[in-house]
Amino acid sequence: MRFPNPRYFTGVLLLGFAASAIAAAPSFRPDSVFEGSALKGWHPVGDASWSAKAGEITGKANGGGGWLMLDQSYQDVAMYSVFKCAGPCKAGYLLRAEKTADGYKGIFVSLDAGNTASYAVTLDASGKILTKEPLRSAGGQVRIAPPVNPDAPAPKPRPAAARPSMPSVIPVPVTEVQNGEWNTAEVILDANTVRAFINQGHEAAGGDAEENLGKYGPIALYVGEGEITYKQVSYKDEGWKEYPEEFHSKEFRKQRLSDFYYAWGSASGDVNHDGVEDVIAGPYYYLGPDYRKRREIYLGVTRNPSDDYTHECWMQFSGDFTGDGWVDSLTASFSDHDHGVWMYENPRGESRRWDKHLVVEDIQSEIAQLADIDGDGHPDLVYVADGTVRWAHPDLKNPYKLWTVHVVSEPNMGTAHGIGTGDINGDGRMDIVNAFGWWEQPAHDDGKPWKYHPYAFSRNGRSGVGGAIMAVYDVNGDGLNDVVTVLQAHGYGIAWYEQKRDASGNIDFVEHMIQDDPAHPGPGGVIFSQAHGATFGDVDGDGVPDFIVGKRYWTHRDNFYDPDPYGEGVLYWYKTVRDKSAPGGARFEPHMIDNHSGAGSDILATDLNHDGALDIVTSTRFGTYIFWGTPKNGSKAVKK
C-alpha cells in the first residue's frame, strides 16, 4: 500500500525493556486514530473514570473497573493502541460488544502482564463482568476456525518440545506486556477468529470467536484495576476491502501469460532449440517470441489462491543440468508426497511431459538461489535444510543421481527466508549471506563449515526473520560489495547495508533503511508489506544494478495472520542512485511497475528478447506475467 500523506504516523516509540524501537503505528491503515483531548464519540460504561489529553486516554478503575466504549459498532474490526500501566493493572479490549436484555456480550482480549488471552464475556448493564470463559484455541494460517469435532479424542498433555535456539545476532523483542513500560497491542477480529499481537511479537491469544458470543457491536478500552494510559488508539472496519484500479508503468509493457495460480517461481531458457528464449513457470513452458503457446512439463493443476499453496513449485530455476545441451527445469517442492528439489529433464523435442528426477532430498528454505559457487562454470543450488545453510551441485557424468551437498554453516543458522551470494571480501570467491550474517568461502573445501561472520541482515518480531533474495553488489561505488535485502518476507522493511572496513581490513556493515514500516515509509510515502520476492539487475541501463521487489498478496492465506494482507499486490524497482550527499553515498528511488501482480517466492529479471532492456517475469496468486522493459540508448541489461 502507499501512504502519500501519512498524517497519522507520528514517529517511533522506544521501549526501554526491549532495547529496540517499536513503531508507534498499526500494521493496518486505520479508519480513525484518536488525537484529541475530548472523548467525543465514546462513552463510559462501568466503574471507572476516563479523561483525554493531547491524544492520550487515561482510565482509572474505581472499585470494579469499567470500559470506554465507542459509539459506533463493528463486526470485523482491527484495533490498536500503545498503552502503559502506572503500576499493577488490568488492561484489555472488548470487541463486538453486543447489547443483550441484561447488558452486553462480546469478545474480550486481556492485556494483563502475564495474562494475554481471549475470552467470551457477558456484562451486566453497569459493565460488571458476569462470566468470562476462555476461547477455544484458534488462529494461525486459517481465516475461519473449524467447528469442534465431538468425536475427537481429548488432547493429551505433552512435554514442551525443545526449540532450536536462533543465533543471538538478531535480538528477540520482549513480547509480553510489561507494567510501567509502553506496550503496543494490535487485535484483529475477523469472521470467527480473533488474533492479538503484543509488542510486534508473534500471534498471541488467538481464539475461536463464534458469532453467538458476540455478533455485532462497539469496541471498548478496559481498565479493571489500577490506572492505564492508552494513546494512538486506532481502529478499522475490516469488512471493507479495497480493490484499486489496476496500474502498470509506461516504462513496461504488461503481458499476462496465465490467469491462474500454478507457481511462485519462473525461469527462462531456449527450451525447443529455436534460438528464442522461452519462459518456464510451474507446470508450463511458454514459447517465445509471443509466449501465447504453452505445453506441460508436468500435470498442471491450479491451486485455490485463498487457502492453498503451490506445493509443486515454490521456486523454479533453469539450466542444462544433464549436460546434453538442452535446458532443463528445477523446482523446489514442499508437497507431502514429493518433498525436495526435482529436476525435470527436457525431452529434446519429443511431444510429451518431462521426466522427473529427485536431485536434493530435503529443502526447508522458501528462498533459494542458483549460482556458480565453486567457479566451475556450472550452476549450483544455495538453500537451507536441517537448519543449515548448504549448496549442492550436479555430477554431469551421472546427472540422475542426487547432487553432492556441501554444508556451509553450523546447525540452527538456516532460516526459511533470505539468502544471497556474492563476493563480500573481494577474494574472487562467492560467499553466502543470510539473515544472520555471511559465510566466507575458503580457498580449499575441506568439508568443514565455512568461516562465519555474524551480522543482523534482518530483524525479529511478529513476522519472523529473513527476507527474499539478498542482492550483493557495490551500491555506492566505493569498490566494496554491499547487501540490499528485504528485512522480513512476511512483514515490513527493506534496507541496504554499506560495507565498511577498518585499518586492519576487518569488515562491518552500516544499515541504511530504504523503507521501514507504516510509521516510517520510504521515499514518496511508499510502504508495503509481504515483500516475499526480490532480485536485482540493471533496469535503466546505467551500468549500476537496481533492486527489484514485489509483495506476495496473501503471503500465507486469505486471512489477517500477516500485516496488511489485502494491500495492493505491488511490484517495484528501486533505482540505485549513487549520491555522495546521501547517507552511505547512495539512495534508492522507488518506481512502481505494477499494482496487481506482485511476487511469489522469486522474481526473474532477464533480457528475454535481447533488445538491451531488462524484462521481469513473475508468477503469483494472480497468474504469470512478463513486464517488457523499454530499451534505453546504449543500455545493456544485466541478466540475473
Side-chain angles (χ1 to χ4, degrees), residues 572-594:
Y572 272 88
W573 72 279
Y574 278 82
K575 176 179 172 61
T576 306
V577 180
R578 290 173 174 170
D579 180 355
K580 292 182 179 180
S581 66
R587 54 187 171 84
F588 285 80
E589 293 180 351
H591 298 263
M592 184 188 284
I593 300 170
D594 186 72

Side-chain angles (χ1 to χ4, degrees), residues 89 250 282 296 337 388:
C89 73
K250 293 181 180 179
E296 281 184 331
H337 64 277
T388 59

Side-chain angles (χ1 to χ4, degrees), residues 264-266 310 312-317 330-334 363 365-369 383 601-602:
W264 271 337
S266 53
T310 170
E312 297 85 2
C313 187
W314 216 273
M315 294 165 284
Q316 193 151 35
F317 309 97
L330 199 69
T331 66
S333 171
F334 284 81
I363 184 170
S365 52
E366 297 179 21
I367 307 295
Q369 190 171 31
Y383 66 106
S601 287
D602 59 37

